[in-house]
Amino acid sequence: MSLNAATPGGPSLPQRRNLVTEIPGPQSRGLFERRQHSVARGLSHVLPVFVSAAGGGVVVDVDGNSLIDFGSGIAVTSVGNSADLVVTRVTEQVAQFTHTCFMVAPYEGYVEVCEQLNRLTPGDFDKRSALFNSGAEAVENAVKVARHATGRDAVVVFDHAYHGRTNLTMAMTAKNMPYKEGFGPFAGEVYRMPMAYPYRWPGGPAACQAEALDVVTNLIHAQVGEENVAAVVIEPIQGEGGFVVPPAGFLPGLATYCRANGIVFIADEIQSGFCRTGNWFACDAENVVPDLVTTAKGIAGGLPLAGVTGRADLMDAVHPGGLGGTYGGNPVACAAALGAIETMEKEDLVGAAKAIENIMLPRLRKIAEANPVIGDVRGRGAMLAIELVKPGTPDPDAAAASKVAKACHGNGLLVLTCGTYGNVLRFLPPLVIGQPLLDEGLGILEDAFSKL
Ligand SMILES: Cc1ncc(COP(=O)(O)O)c(C=O)c1O
């Protein structure tokens, strides 16, 4: 047991960076040694500090170091770790009952989460939701619904997409290493289209805006045939693929094209949803109304929960018993989601995400001006990224991204990398982080670039 095991987490944790050992410290290194002998090699770590508590904008490790959190456990703890309303609701629920299986004997919490999803997701029409355990499971089920409702097989996805690690979602995910290498054969009837990626579009951002939709729809027509496509699945802002933000008009155009061709338009909002981008959902920025939306991550303050929400006629096309799973919509996870959603509304976390953008984006742009290794700065709300390249070229520089991330880690700032080429630093602070920690974190980042 660590010396710090009794330190309570949550928002009452001192909101300060405090390093008392090297990173990782001796206790973390000891636990890492145990982990090497007990946990499979296939699981890797961004930073092998073992956590004893977390809350607000900090993560405290077993050596007593307090790190600034710019990762939120990959966009999950948007309301902060162990947020008060999440803890209260979870504690009450866990003492009442932990599981019955919604398919055996239902409970109100599940219905209430579905009601909230139906209310909050884009679109003012009759909706239904179903709950699952993970993002990948939600994506799988959204595709099941679309195939069942349309009677079609093909699924269209994009370059740089990430949709999960199950067999179908591996097929839908673009990047081979580490997600797909050696894990095939993959599910069929998945077709990949170019992503509207302004920074890397041949001809540049203006050409991307002008051309991307035509390129994609022409390719679908020529290579798949609209009448065969059950669903187009897209992350409105791509996550693991590099926080790629498509140009204005691309998503609305894609949604209109899908509607005109009887194709189910599925927005994968698993990373971008629940206030993260300064809207409840990233689609809201352009008033895009998907037929189905997949959610997970930020929905439940850290507990495993995912959802598929959308048009009642599509969702209800599936026969009774066709959707489900033992744990999907577990009552404790539902209680957490209700606490998280209440927190987002009470604390205006949509506004908080916009405020984070207003603080971070100008500072990131300033860092970029001083460092030609930064080729692009992008993102929205508290989902921001910088892409690192060999100066003067668009050639990805993953080594530089990794070096900057390591320097940040050593100085007590937890940052993540991403991108098909591993050359993107991404910033996903909890939406409840205070400005002093944001400023300090940006200072550490600036310092890391100055020493590159
Ligand atoms: C956009 C998107 N879809 C799906 C997933 C898969 O979610 P999970 O890891 O919960 O299966 C992720 C996870 O990073 C994601 O970002």
Side-chain angles (χ1 to χ4, degrees), residues 74 134-137 139 162-164 235 239-240 268 270-271 296-297:
I74 322 186
S134 68
E137 218 188 325
V139 173
Y162 183 88
H163 297 292
E235 299 152 85
E240 307 302 299
D268 180 348
I270 284 163
Q271 191 153 163
K297 291 191 182 278

Side-chain angles (χ1 to χ4, degrees), residues 2 91 123 163 215 266 285 302 392 420:
S2 88
T91 308
H163 297 292
V215 169
I266 302 176
T420 300

Side-chain angles (χ1 to χ4, degrees), residues 31 76 129 156 186 241 329 397:
L31 285 167
V76 171
S129 289
V156 167
F186 303 110
D397 195 342

Side-chain angles (χ1 to χ4, degrees), residues 74 133-139 161-166 169 173 235-240 268-272 294 296-297 305-306 383 426:
I74 322 186
N133 301 294
S134 68
E137 218 188 325
V139 173
Y162 183 88
H163 297 292
R165 294 174 182 264
T166 57
T169 58
T173 288
E235 299 152 85
I237 295 180
Q238 288 184 319
E240 307 302 299
D268 180 348
E269 292 257 16
I270 284 163
Q271 191 153 163
S272 58
T294 55
K297 291 191 182 278
L305 189 74
M383 186 171 182
R426 59 171 152 172

